[in-house]
Amino acid sequence: MMSTLDMVKMFWNDWGNHDPQYYKVYVGMGIGATQYKELTGVDYVA
């Protein structure tokens, strides 16, 4: 089973979903704010 971080990386890399708003849902539910920034390149603002 893949982790939530692996799943959102797949959305970003393989599916081409580059909308940072979409990934805010996953912060606190499997990824942290630091991982959010690494993935999207923008700071997480609640």
Side-chain angles (χ1 to χ4, degrees), residues 1-21:
M1 184 169 187
M2 70 173 54
S3 71
T4 303
L5 180 59
D6 292 334
M7 185 176 65
V8 296
K9 282 183 177 180
M10 181 181 69
F11 295 162
W12 185 273
N13 294 321
D14 299 340
W15 295 3
N17 183 352
H18 296 148
D19 178 13
Q21 288 294 106

Side-chain angles (χ1 to χ4, degrees), residues 19-46:
D19 178 13
Q21 288 294 106
Y22 175 81
Y23 298 97
K24 283 188 173 188
V25 172
Y26 294 98
V27 175
M29 293 178 16
I31 67 171
T34 303
Q35 293 167 324
Y36 174 86
K37 181 167 181 166
E38 289 173 9
L39 180 68
T40 64
V42 296
D43 289 322
Y44 174 75
V45 179

